[in-house]
Amino acid sequence: MADLVNEFSWSVSRQGLFDECRRAYYYNYYGAWGGWDAGAPARIRLLYRLKNLRSLDMWAGSIVHEVIAETLRRYALKPEPVTTADLQARARAKLRAGWTEAVNRDWERAPKKTNLDELYYGNGRTLPPEQTERIRDKVNHCLAAFADSAVLRELLAVNYLNWKPVDKLDTFLVDAIKVWCAVDFAYTGDDGVLHILDWKTGAEREEALQLQLACYAFYAADKWCARRDAIKVCGVFLKEGARVSEYAITPELLAAARDHILAGAGAMRALLVNPAANQAREEDFPFCDSARSCRRCFFREACPHAAELAVDVGATLLQKGAPPALRAP
Ligand code: SF4
């Protein structure tokens, strides 16, 4: 197999990390590169492990997304009623499996296995019951809202041949910049309009959602030749009873999104030591000045700034002998 090449690209989440902390961005997209290889240097493997951490809320969100995607895929093959009980049973199995992976530290040999920030930087074995119950309740609540939603009834009423094959990462180009996105669900309605849906398990953040939905519109135009005036994009807020928030795809929104992508990509590339080869040097990516960001940063075990700020890296790391420089005093 040909060697993987770290190509420059842009995504909404990449921009988010760049805006929050340049150094965390470097660790995530450059420092961790190649860390999946058991023969890579220890620091690169550490950064790759940290890059794959997820918070409990991220984990809950990904389980909700997986269960919904699997359920709709199954429905397309064999239309059977979608029930809350079935969705929740599938989620329960995933929560159990993920939790077992995390406490058994399966991520030590396979870094893509579930590794939870709160456990990793905690005691590694347990969390307060109120935290785990909150996550279980959130997943159950979101799936119940999905099963009872008008959105689900609408999309099940559409012939599945009009559903788009989605929910996998894919790319499109904006002025030669490769942009990543993963549409949650899309279908063409009887009116010929392409409906793009984004399941949300958190609160609505208008600006970020607008940018994300604009990316989906670019993607739909590129991949499915959808006319931009025949695309409807919606966020579906599952925690709020599957409330639908629709955003108009206007020429102004698309122009602003395009400018945002190009400006963001330009700022990212400006920090590279060799933009043509997408090569970066750690020292060119400054620490952020937000202690709040550092306290919840996945890279706090590896980042010297976290040690300077005496950010708590947790009991597990101290027990297993993290390098002294990284220990909280
Ligand atoms: S610990 Fe702070 S400075 Fe270091 S990478 Fe994380 S957010 Fe950035």
Side-chain angles (χ1 to χ4, degrees):
M1 196 174 85
D3 282 349
L4 286 172
V5 175
N6 189 2
E7 281 181 357
F8 182 79
S9 61
W10 186 93
S11 68
V12 171
S13 55
R14 184 169 180 142
Q15 183 70 54
L17 190 56
F18 184 78
D19 292 342
E20 182 155 18
C21 174
R22 303 290 200 258
R23 180 60 65 95
Y25 168 86
Y26 167 84
Y27 290 148
N28 198 80
Y29 292 99
Y30 296 93
W33 181 260
W36 55 83
D37 184 342
R43 180 156 174 90
I44 296 177
R45 282 187 284 115
L46 170 64
L47 290 174
Y48 186 68
R49 177 195 296 165
L50 302 180
K51 170 193 170 96
N52 282 294
L53 279 172
R54 278 182 288 175
S55 67
L56 286 169
D57 281 292
M58 289 164 71
W59 183 45
S62 65
I63 286 179
V64 169
H65 277 76
E66 279 171 32
V67 170
I68 291 177
E70 287 167 11
T71 301
L72 293 175
R73 238 178 269 132
R74 241 190 3 263
Y75 186 91
L77 297 173
K78 192 172 173 201
E80 282 180 344
V82 175
T83 67
T84 300
D86 181 53
L87 294 170
Q88 292 179 344
R90 288 172 192 283
R92 210 158 37 243
K94 286 179 187 292
L95 284 166
R96 272 203 211 109
W99 182 262
T100 304
E101 284 174 12
V103 295
N104 286 349
R105 305 165 69 96
D106 290 356
W107 38 265
E108 279 181 325
R109 56 172 176 76
K112 288 275 188 192
K113 296 279 184 187
T114 311
N115 192 0
L116 300 170
D117 174 74
E118 291 85 346
L119 268 181
Y120 185 78
Y121 286 112
N123 69 18
R125 294 177 306 279
T126 54
L127 287 173
E130 57 272 22
Q131 276 193 50
T132 48
E133 280 160 20
R134 182 181 71 77
I135 289 305
R136 184 201 57 204
D137 292 349
K138 178 178 179 175
V139 168
N140 284 338
H141 180 82
C142 287
L143 291 173
F146 172 74
D148 289 341
S149 66
V151 171
L152 176 64
R153 286 194 292 280
E154 244 170 68
L155 66 91
L156 294 187
V158 173
N159 188 325
Y160 74 84
L161 294 174
N162 290 335
W163 293 7
K164 297 291 184 192
V166 291
D167 197 39
K168 62 178 175 56
L169 269 174
D170 205 349
T171 59
F172 60 93
L173 293 178
V174 172
D175 282 16
I177 302 285
K178 191 196 258 190
V179 176
W180 287 96
C181 76
V183 171
D184 284 343
F185 194 79
Y187 66 92
T188 309
D190 295 337
D191 50 3
V193 171
L194 178 71
H195 299 254
I196 300 179
L197 306 174
D198 197 43
W199 317 123
K200 292 289 181 197
T201 54
E204 183 161 8
R205 290 187 300 121
E206 215 173 282
E207 209 176 305
L209 185 58
Q210 254 183 357
L211 179 62
Q212 192 177 21
L213 296 178
C215 286
Y216 295 163
F218 284 133
Y219 177 79
D222 188 60
K223 291 285 162 174
W224 303 317
C225 301
R227 279 199 348 262
R228 286 178 184 167
D229 58 350
I231 299 174
K232 265 191 182 177
V233 287
C234 301
V236 181
F237 291 86
L238 298 171
K239 247 175 51 170
E240 300 168 45
R243 176 179 66 81
V244 173
S245 186
E246 186 178 330
Y247 286 76
I249 295 295
T250 61
E252 294 75 26
L253 174 70
L254 293 175
R258 184 178 168 282
D259 290 350
H260 191 88
I261 293 169
L262 294 179
M268 290 170 190
R269 298 191 76 191
L271 290 187
L272 296 177
V273 63
N274 181 348
N278 192 31
Q279 284 172 351
R281 278 188 316 216
E282 182 168 347
E283 60 270 29
D284 295 332
F285 291 77
F287 304 128
C288 73
D289 54 12
S290 159
R292 186 169 172 267
S293 293
C294 295
R295 276 196 297 273
R296 58 176 193 189
C297 172
F298 292 161
F299 294 104
R300 57 198 189 272
E301 181 184 358
C303 177
H305 194 53
E308 281 162 24
L309 291 177
V311 166
D312 185 7
V313 293
T316 313
L317 299 174
L318 297 178
Q319 280 161 16
K320 74 184 183 193
L326 299 180
R327 293 181 186 182

